[in-house]
Amino acid sequence: MTTVTTLGQFIIEKQADFPYAKGELSRLLRDIGIAAKIVNREVNKAGLVDILGDNGTTNIQGEGQKKLDVYADEQFISALRSGGECCVVASEEHGDCIFIHSEISKNAKYIVCIDPLDGSSNIDVNVSVGTIFSIYRRTTTEGPVQLKEVLQQGVCQVAAGYVVYGSSAMLVYTTGKGVNGFTLDPSIGEFCLSHPNMQIPRNGVIYSINEGNYIKFPQGVKDYIKYCQVEDQITQRPFISRYVGSMVADIHRNLIKGGIFLYPTTSSHPKGKLRLMYECNPLAFIVEQAGGKATDGYCRILGIQPESLHQRTPIFIGSTEMVEKVEEFIRLSSEQKQPIGVND
Ligand SMILES: O=P(O)(O)OC[C@H]1O[C@](O)(COP(=O)(O)O)[C@@H](O)[C@@H]1O
Ligand SMILES: [Mg+2]
Ligand SMILES: [Mg+2]
């Protein structure tokens, strides 16, 4: 008989890794797991319930909100509110932080940054979407929590994770001691350990970028795409182009198979499109913990000092050797030198 380890059991077991732990972070991860199950239930039957389509509202970034964006946002915020371990939430769907002032949360130490529904453009077409979360601890216990306590560097994360709502629902997270993946077993309603100690291959043959923006990319990125497309058996090129358009799904695939995900600056997004606090930092923490790399082309994503809640950054993330290769192309093009391996 196969024994299953549920997320709840695993979290408790791993608590021993943290001598100061009192169970608060465990309960917070549990609360996120519960909200993920509720969102998954709606995603699974999205066509049958009134949850597809536009919500008719826009978020702080001027993006049209989907009904599922708003629904997921409400579910995660209500779970974090009622759980009692979270003192402030920074969500993609809200311009400002949501400070939680309740009796149950008066001693709460944790700060959660969240992208409640990632891959919104794929919601209505039954393609994998996700949720991304990042957890920090307050930097002081004095007085009410301040915005500056939210704007911590990615290296200060105490935990991060994502949920993929795909052919199966999976929750993948790290607390800085490796990465583990759990698959939802609908028959028992539990996330069960299915991918222990996930490791991303050091190299890969999959590159993931919206090539529709090709002409808007910096030269170094264009050169790297050309490099990926040139025939060369030794380096197994041409590489395979895969792009779901849901960052969580693209990163999850590369985490398992190896590969690189790139969202550079473009002329329409001169600072990049993806958000540092609740997309890039959490996924960078996971990929680094799995043995990969995440940079903005020059610097480590986790080392960037945040200045605002919804700031964007270019990102190159995945198998270490592939990220180092694209960094090389970006450096060479900024030194206006001809890269090797493009016009073989
Ligand atoms: O359509 P584009 O420009 O390729 O952008 C796709 C990217 O935008 C996102 O959908 C942005 O995330 P949200 O859906 O949470 O706003 C990413 O998941 C995805 O990688
Ligand atoms: Mg997103
Ligand atoms: Mg989103």
Side-chain angles (χ1 to χ4, degrees):
M1 188 184 73
T2 49
T3 54
V4 294
T5 304
T6 67
L7 176 64
Q9 289 164 331
F10 186 85
I11 290 172
I12 301 295
E13 272 166 34
K14 290 294 168 194
Q15 212 174 285
D17 290 354
F18 303 93
Y20 58 75
K22 296 196 196 75
E24 294 116 333
L25 181 59
S26 304
R27 286 192 289 278
L28 184 61
L29 290 167
R30 173 212 58 200
D31 300 335
I32 290 172
I34 293 167
K37 287 186 223 175
I38 296 170
V39 171
N40 182 62
R41 181 194 66 204
E42 297 308 303
V43 168
N44 274 354
K45 57 181 180 183
L48 302 171
V49 287
D50 179 26
I51 206 144
L52 291 180
D54 298 337
N55 195 58
T57 49
T58 55
N59 64 20
I60 181 78
Q61 300 153 66
E63 292 162 349
Q65 290 178 309
K66 296 280 186 181
K67 287 182 184 161
L68 203 53
D69 282 322
V70 175
Y71 178 82
D73 181 60
E74 286 162 359
Q75 293 310 318
F76 281 99
I77 291 173
S78 99
L80 293 168
R81 259 189 213 291
S82 52
E85 305 301 346
C86 177
C87 56
V88 58
V89 182
S91 163
E92 176 192 2
E93 303 308 332
H94 296 261
D96 299 319
C97 290
I98 299 145
F99 294 98
I100 300 177
H101 302 298
S102 64
E103 187 49 33
I104 190 178
S105 313
K106 70 175 183 299
N107 300 321
K109 299 194 193 66
Y110 291 103
I111 295 161
V112 176
C113 301
I114 192 160
D115 177 354
L117 206 286
D118 179 62
S120 308
S121 62
N122 282 324
I123 293 171
D124 297 347
V125 290
N126 203 0
V127 170
S128 297
V129 292
T131 293
I132 314 171
F133 62 90
S134 166
I135 302 174
Y136 296 89
R137 207 195 317 279
R138 285 199 63 184
T139 51
T140 166
T141 49
E142 302 304 312
V145 59
Q146 310 280 327
L147 175 61
K148 68 176 185 307
E149 291 180 75
V150 177
L151 298 177
Q152 296 181 48
Q153 286 179 320
V155 280
C156 305
Q157 291 174 97
V158 292
Y162 63 79
V163 185
V164 189
Y165 309 105
S167 44
S168 66
M170 271 194 74
L171 188 152
V172 173
Y173 84 102
T174 183
T175 52
K177 293 189 184 281
V179 177
N180 294 282
F182 300 78
T183 301
L184 183 62
D185 179 343
S187 66
I188 58 172
E190 288 286 355
F191 282 106
C192 302
L193 184 62
S194 55
H195 295 64
N197 192 22
M198 298 176 83
Q199 296 288 320
I200 186 169
R202 259 195 79 71
N203 208 345
V205 294
I206 294 173
Y207 70 104
S208 188
I209 186 168
N210 181 346
E211 294 190 58
N213 292 328
Y214 182 83
I215 55 167
K216 303 175 184 173
F217 290 148
Q219 190 55 44
V221 176
K222 288 179 180 171
D223 294 340
Y224 179 72
I225 293 173
K226 286 291 157 245
Y227 167 84
C228 294
Q229 296 168 343
V230 162
E231 188 89 30
D232 176 71
Q233 275 171 356
I234 299 160
T235 52
Q236 295 180 283
R237 286 177 292 148
F239 291 157
I240 300 164
S241 173
R242 290 281 181 276
Y243 192 71
V244 176
S246 298
M247 186 183 189
V248 163
D250 283 312
I251 299 276
H252 183 68
R253 179 203 51 246
N254 293 351
L255 194 62
I256 293 171
K257 290 191 158 190
I260 184 170
F261 173 86
L262 312 90
Y263 209 110
T265 57
T266 65
S267 41
S268 33
H269 287 290
K271 294 202 169 130
K273 175 183 180 180
L274 301 167
R275 283 57 58 113
L276 178 64
M277 296 305 292
Y278 42 78
E279 290 171 322
C280 301
N281 267 339
L283 294 172
F285 189 21
I286 288 171
V287 167
E288 281 201 9
Q289 279 290 310
K293 190 171 182 178
T295 80
D296 63 2
Y298 301 95
C299 309
R300 192 183 173 205
I301 292 286
L302 297 182
I304 297 173
Q305 176 52 51
E307 274 137 30
S308 65
L309 269 187
H310 303 286
Q311 81 182 66
R312 302 170 190 264
T313 177
I315 186 165
F316 305 89
I317 179 170
S319 296
T320 300
E321 290 179 25
M322 298 184 87
V323 175
E324 286 170 354
K325 193 69 180 175
V326 72
E327 286 181 308
E328 183 192 324
F329 278 101
I330 291 170
R331 195 179 57 252
L332 287 171
S333 107
S334 52
E335 294 159 4
Q336 274 134 15
K337 288 197 188 114
Q338 180 57 33
I340 298 150
V342 172
N343 297 323
D344 287 12

